[in-house]
Amino acid sequence: MINKHTHRPAALLAATLLAIGTAVTTSAAAQAASCPSGQFCAWTDSNFGGQRTNWSGDDHDWEDPIQDNDSSWANHGISGPGIKDHVQVYENPGLVGIGTVCLDPGQEIATPSGWANDSGDSHTWKMDC
Ligand SMILES: [Ca+2]
Ligand SMILES: [Ca+2]
C-alpha cells in the first residue's frame, strides 16, 4: 500500500526547481536593452535603467539628464560595409579627452568600468573602435 506522505517531498522539490528556473529566465530577459533600431542609447543608471537618451547621429555636446551621468550604453546602429557603425564616447564636449566607452555594432554595456561611469559629454559614429 502506498503511503501518501512519501510523495510530498518529491512534489515539493519539483515545484521549487520549477520556480528557480522561471526566476532565472525572467532575470535574463530583463537585462536586454530597449533601444530603437539604428540608434545609440545611453542610460543614467546601470542595467539600462533610469532615463534613456538616444541618437541616430553624432552629438558633440550632451545635455541633461545624460551629460556626465551615463552608466549603461547600447549600440543598435545599422551595420554594413562602409557604414560608420561603431560608437565612441568622450569625457568632454567636442569629442575631446579620454574615450570612455567604444561600442561595436550591436554591443550593449550594462555595467560601467569605474572611470567610464558618469563621464560622457559627446559621441561620434566611426568605422572602428
Ligand atoms: Ca549615472
Ligand atoms: Ca565629462
Side-chain angles (χ1 to χ4, degrees), residues 11-81:
L12 192 62
L13 180 62
T16 304
L17 289 172
L18 188 66
I20 291 169
T22 302
V24 168
T25 302
T26 302
S27 177
Q31 301 240 335
S34 175
C35 179
S37 177
Q39 306 219 341
F40 164 58
C41 297
W43 288 261
T44 55
D45 294 345
S46 60
N47 295 311
F48 320 113
Q51 292 180 270
R52 186 188 78 189
T53 302
N54 45 291
W55 303 265
S56 56
D58 291 11
D59 187 344
H60 293 190
D61 191 6
W62 289 8
E63 298 179 348
D64 286 337
I66 199 64
Q67 177 186 32
D68 287 330
N69 200 15
D70 50 329
S71 297
S72 52
W73 307 264
N75 175 3
H76 285 189
I78 304 299
S79 187

